Amino acid sequence: MIRQKHVPAVALVLAILLLMTALGGCGKRPAAPEASAPAASREPVAEPGSAAPVQSAEPAGPAEATEAPAAETQTGRRDGERFEDVIILEGMEETVHYEHIRNDSLGFEMDYDYENFVRHSEQDREVFVSCWDDADNPENYLEVSYSPLNAEAAAASVIGTLSNEYEVRRDDAFPLDRAGSCIRIYADEVKGGGYMPDYLQTVYVIPAGDGCRIAAEHMYIVASEGFGRRFRYMMDTFSVVAAQTNGGENRESASGSFTGVQGTEFVVPDGFVQLDERPNIGYQYTFRHPDYEIRITVNEIAPGYIPEGAYETDYNIASKNPDVTYFNHGENWFVQSGYNNNGEEIFYAKECLNDRGLKTFWITYPTARREYGDPIAAEFEKNCRF
């Protein structure tokens, strides 16, 4: 599966603005960093209606304390419980040995065939790799990840990525036994070629109240029938549980290249983590550097959803804002930078209106951290493509 961070791994991600808050601040300010092309006049928008093991008490006397059993899951099986079941494979019954797992960080539970797949747990995903594959370069695997985007936005992002190489089919109401209806995306034909690719990809985007879960199957075409059946039996045991986020902050480094749902391309520098924040309109991707207190936010609003006069309003506010120390513009973009909070915080913003929507990014960081913030802002602007 090609990872999508927004989404992705992420990738992947599957998100997310009633734009603008006033940029405050006054007083004498040093020169702010200059920029070289498109920006936004607003601060990040408000977010919309966006286990540790338990030890038993020590008994009286010399007996040692014992660990309590794992908590029971929604299905009645306990995390780590192993059992047998029978599946139909190539018209014949086969006894399969399953292990039930629950991942509260990503927000799901399921059964996996532990004799045919090796489980690889990472902070942002669970991957079940065929035991006959090279784990560093697998061909047949199932990857499960969490996305803060709603299912429709995540599906659009997945389709956008797969469409670069495949002809993509979509089923908006594909049934899974435990998870219910989901969006199923199937990539089984080379783009524009009319023939089968070497690898098939099937992606399930499963709605949830806190975003969605993305399960992606990747199979070598020669072995796809057998692996496809095994994956399908596993996916029918999939169910959603509430994801336990760390204060809305992704637990892994979010550095790398991103492509937004509306096509915005940008690169997040090393050391940033992704925040689970969404606006009232459109899609939002927010990142923060925990050491330098640098915050990067990218917003996209698709054509047809842009509030009337939004770009013109932003432009007028930015061009007249006394806290803006640098302003430049082109035919369909403008850029601004300046100071908030009486000069204690630097902001840099860029906004563009094109046929793919209204695109904005803004970066803020403490003035005391400008030795780190200035080069990061300049590099981000250089690599951002609306």
Side-chain angles (χ1 to χ4, degrees), residues 81-100:
E81 180 180 342
R82 291 187 170 186
F83 62 98
E84 293 182 357
D85 202 354
V86 175
I87 67 173
I88 304 299
L89 192 63
E90 297 180 352
M92 300 179 63
E93 290 188 351
E94 178 180 322
T95 299
V96 178
H97 296 84
Y98 287 107
E99 178 177 324
H100 188 81

Side-chain angles (χ1 to χ4, degrees), residues 5 23-24 62 80 161 211 228 245 272 295 316:
K5 292 187 175 181
L23 300 171
T161 299
T245 60
F272 280 76
R295 184 182 176 99
N316 290 333

Side-chain angles (χ1 to χ4, degrees), residues 184-208:
R184 180 178 180 262
I185 301 162
Y186 196 47
D188 63 347
E189 183 179 323
V190 172
K191 184 177 180 65
Y195 59 90
M196 300 285 280
D198 290 336
Y199 297 96
L200 307 181
Q201 298 197 50
T202 302
V203 182
Y204 304 87
V205 181
I206 302 154

Side-chain angles (χ1 to χ4, degrees), residues 1-8 11-16 147 149-164 168 170 185 203 205 212 214 258-264 283 285 300:
M1 168 69 186
I2 300 172
R3 291 186 59 195
Q4 194 70 10
K5 292 187 175 181
H6 36 235
V7 270
L12 302 86
V13 34
L14 15 143
I16 354 193
S147 173
L149 297 174
N150 62 45
E152 183 60 39
S157 181
V158 170
I159 290 171
T161 299
L162 290 176
S163 295
N164 292 326
V168 178
R170 167 176 170 160
I185 301 162
V203 182
V205 181
C212 66
I214 300 175
F258 285 70
T259 300
V261 173
Q262 296 302 125
T264 303
Y283 309 102
Y285 319 96
E300 303 174 308

Side-chain angles (χ1 to χ4, degrees), residues 20-44:
M20 305 171 9
T21 57
L23 300 171
C26 58
K28 186 176 181 180
R29 303 174 297 275
E34 294 195 356
S36 68
S41 67
R42 49 190 182 270
E43 292 289 278

Side-chain angles (χ1 to χ4, degrees), residues 97-173:
H97 296 84
Y98 287 107
E99 178 177 324
H100 188 81
I101 64 166
R102 175 173 173 135
N103 187 315
D104 287 313
S105 178
L106 300 179
F108 78 95
E109 59 180 298
M110 66 179 293
D111 305 328
Y112 84 97
D113 176 355
Y114 66 84
E115 288 189 331
N116 287 292
F117 297 94
V118 179
R119 178 185 179 187
H120 298 268
S121 298
E122 302 179 26
Q123 287 182 316
D124 66 334
R125 76 192 72 188
E126 291 270 12
V127 187
F128 306 91
V129 178
S130 166
C131 62
W132 293 282
D133 284 13
D134 178 357
D136 294 326
N137 189 29
E139 295 181 336
N140 304 285
Y141 59 89
L142 172 66
E143 176 181 297
V144 180
S145 60
Y146 161 83
S147 173
L149 297 174
N150 62 45
E152 183 60 39
S157 181
V158 170
I159 290 171
T161 299
L162 290 176
S163 295
N164 292 326
E165 300 181 24
Y166 295 89
E167 297 293 342
V168 178
R169 293 184 285 127
R170 167 176 170 160
D171 185 340
D172 285 336

